[in-house]
């Protein structure tokens, strides 16, 4: 048996329904080192998805934020690899916002083959299969056609611990505010990238973890967005595994925005 998009969609939907059910008076908040919020729903959704994977594909590798978050030697993992963010947008989730997603990616040969990002409170499922296309609730998606930087709506986000990177974060913000139409900080990197893929944002940049962007990366590239980095990835990581200094744009803005952001 091989993983299929239907299987990933079913598991992401089931996890989305679980986190929607758990929000409310069953919610338990906790903090990881670095003041990073985690809830009982993050852990429960992680367990639900990783249990499914282990039962169906016991030999496959898993990288999952809450249960198997080691990134070392990930570039060597050419075999079947699952990359899971059980809740992307935990801060939104815990505050009752709707911009929240479950993200499941399946990689082989170091590149994503299947990706699903399910937003349970928005009843939207983004999905993609390598070489076959990208969809929102089953309909094909494409990026917008904004070709002039001053008309571009740009998404970004910030790390939990903002202090060490503050000068760089502020310099990049200033550049975007000077050159683009406006900025959004919506609180889910996976959805930000999917929103570039479907034309709701013209561009997105941020340094994140691989589970934030693994599934959305395939959705963006299959939709026809330009997915890359502000600076070349560190340690020679391939684009598909490198999650620092991400830059995702519609087909028109990548080079110009990359130059602007790399100057900071
Ligand atoms: C976070 C979200 C947020 C981004 C942070 C991520 P989490 O993921 O994607 O938008 O700005 O960098 O850590 O913690 O909610 O899974
Ligand atoms: Ca995340
Ligand atoms: Ca998460």
């Amino acid at each position: 048996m091989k993983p299929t998009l239907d299987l990933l969609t079913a598991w992401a939907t089931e996890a989305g329904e679980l986190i929607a059910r758990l929000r409310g008076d069953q919610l338990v908040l906790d903090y990881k080192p670095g003041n990073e919020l985690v809830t009982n729903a993050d852990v429960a959704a992680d367990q639900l998805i990783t249990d499914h994977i282990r039962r169906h594909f016991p030999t496959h590798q898993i990288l999952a934020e809450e249960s198997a978050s080691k990134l070392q030697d990930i570039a060597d993992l050419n075999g079947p690899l699952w990359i899971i963010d059980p809740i992307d947008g935990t801060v939104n989730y815990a505050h009752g916002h709707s911009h929240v997603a479950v993200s499941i990616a399946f990689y082989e040969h170091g590149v994503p083959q299947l990706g699903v990002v399910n937003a349970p409170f928005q009843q939207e499922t983004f999905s993609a299969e390598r070489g076959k296309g990208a969809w929102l609730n089953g309909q094909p998606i494409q990026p917008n056609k904004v070709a002039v930087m001053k008309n571009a709506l740009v998404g970004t986000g910030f790390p939990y611990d903002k202090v060490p990177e503050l000068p760089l974060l502020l310099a990049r913000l200033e550049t975007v505010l000077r050159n683009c139409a406006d900025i959004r900080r919506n609180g889910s990197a996976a959805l930000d990238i999917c929103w570039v893929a479907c034309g709701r944002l013209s561009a997105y940049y941020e340094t994140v973890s691989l589970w934030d962007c693994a599934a959305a990366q395939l959705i963006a590239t299959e939709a026809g967005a330009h997915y890359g980095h502000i600076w070349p990835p560190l340690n020679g990581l391939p684009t598909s595994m490198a999650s620092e200094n991400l830059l995702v744009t519609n087909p028109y803005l990548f080079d110009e925005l990359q130059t602007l952001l790399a100057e900071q």
Side-chain angles (χ1 to χ4, degrees):
M1 179 178 167
K2 276 194 71 98
T4 62
L5 202 53
D6 283 348
L7 197 61
L8 270 73
T9 304
W11 293 350
T13 305
E14 192 183 343
E17 286 166 0
L18 174 69
I19 67 173
R21 261 200 320 277
L22 289 176
R23 189 151 85 172
D25 50 15
Q26 290 186 55
L27 202 59
V28 182
L29 305 187
D30 200 356
Y31 288 88
K32 300 186 211 175
N35 212 33
E36 184 172 345
L37 187 62
V38 62
T39 72
N40 56 326
D42 293 77
V43 176
D46 188 303
Q47 188 168 352
L48 183 149
I49 298 165
T50 53
D51 280 355
H52 276 314
I53 296 168
R54 292 205 173 91
R55 200 168 319 119
H56 286 79
F57 306 104
T59 60
H60 290 189
Q61 304 268 13
I62 300 175
L63 175 72
E65 181 176 11
E66 307 306 340
S67 63
S69 64
K70 282 260 182 320
L71 279 171
Q72 288 102 313
D73 301 329
I74 199 104
D76 297 333
L77 291 173
N78 284 323
L81 167 68
W82 295 79
I83 303 180
I84 314 300
D85 192 341
I87 299 183
D88 188 49
T90 296
V91 174
N92 281 349
Y93 176 77
H95 287 78
H97 300 202
S98 66
H99 208 69
V100 170
V102 175
S103 174
I104 305 180
F106 175 67
Y107 273 53
E108 243 175 349
H109 316 299
V111 288
Q113 308 294 327
L114 301 167
V116 173
V117 174
N118 172 253
F121 302 105
Q122 299 168 339
Q123 297 185 341
E124 292 195 331
T125 301
F126 294 89
S127 60
E129 180 162 0
R130 175 159 298 278
K132 299 225 167 117
W135 303 273
L136 165 54
N137 290 348
Q139 298 301 312
I141 50 172
Q142 51 276 314
N144 66 37
K145 296 186 170 50
V146 174
V148 178
M149 193 61 72
K150 71 175 171 37
N151 296 334
L153 184 60
V154 180
T156 191
F158 310 107
Y160 284 90
D161 185 3
K162 291 156 190 76
V163 176
E165 295 290 321
L166 202 53
L168 179 64
L169 296 173
L170 293 178
R172 286 178 173 176
L173 272 184
E174 181 174 347
T175 295
V176 172
L177 289 172
R178 281 189 190 283
N179 291 282
C180 305
D182 209 344
I183 278 212
R184 293 291 180 271
R185 196 287 189 247
N186 289 332
S188 161
L191 285 177
D192 287 336
I193 299 168
C194 290
W195 279 28
V196 176
C198 75
R200 294 174 184 165
L201 293 170
S202 300
Y204 159 80
Y205 70 92
E206 189 178 356
T207 285
V208 293
S209 298
L210 188 51
W211 46 75
D212 298 310
C213 59
Q217 161 183 172
L218 183 63
I219 292 161
T221 53
E222 285 296 323
H226 194 141
Y227 185 97
H229 297 84
I230 297 168
W231 297 318
L234 301 170
N235 312 322
L237 277 178
T239 301
S240 56
M241 294 280 190
S243 57
E244 299 203 349
N245 298 299
L246 277 187
L247 177 60
V248 190
T249 76
N250 72 21
Y252 306 100
L253 297 173
F254 191 90
D255 291 349
E256 196 182 340
L257 195 51
Q258 184 188 44
T259 303
L260 283 170
L261 291 168
E263 281 166 359
Q264 306 315 311

